[in-house]
Amino acid sequence: LMNNSSKNVGIPLKLIHQAEKHQISVKLKDGKLLVGELMNSEDNWNLCLRKVIIKEKVLISDYRKIKIANQCCTLLEEIK
């Protein structure tokens, strides 16, 4: 569902809001690729993903939930 505030944003942000509850890929500046379900997005490009897989050159990690803000990742819960 799109937020009411998304009426005044550009097309890229509208697409992000429409992708909520769908699987997306996010590439960070450091080259990491995050693949997960977009739970929430904000007009300032903060995203909240769940069931995230972090893909790096050598390492693949699996996390249930991750919050992305300003290209910084906070791991909320790791799958054991």
Side-chain angles (χ1 to χ4, degrees), residues 27-68:
K27 187 169 185 180
L28 302 179
K29 289 180 183 179
D30 66 0
K32 291 179 185 173
L33 181 67
L34 307 176
V35 180
E37 182 181 344
L38 179 60
M39 296 303 299
N40 188 23
S41 62
E42 299 174 4
D43 291 347
N44 61 4
W45 290 86
N46 286 345
L47 306 175
C48 184
L49 302 174
R50 73 178 200 141
K51 298 180 184 174
V52 175
I53 296 175
I54 302 172
K55 297 182 180 181
E56 300 180 61
K57 291 179 182 174
V58 179
L59 176 67
I60 297 179
S61 302
D62 193 357
Y63 296 93
R64 286 191 193 268
K65 201 177 226 186
I66 191 168
K67 182 174 182 177
I68 304 168

Side-chain angles (χ1 to χ4, degrees), residues 3-35:
N3 299 335
N4 291 334
S5 63
S6 65
K7 292 178 183 177
N8 299 324
V9 299
I11 291 173
L13 281 174
K14 286 182 181 181
L15 293 173
I16 290 290
H17 290 307
Q18 289 176 354
E20 290 178 5
K21 309 297 184 220
H22 292 88
Q23 181 122 2
I24 65 165
S25 299
V26 178
K27 187 169 185 180
L28 302 179
K29 289 180 183 179
D30 66 0
K32 291 179 185 173
L33 181 67
L34 307 176
V35 180

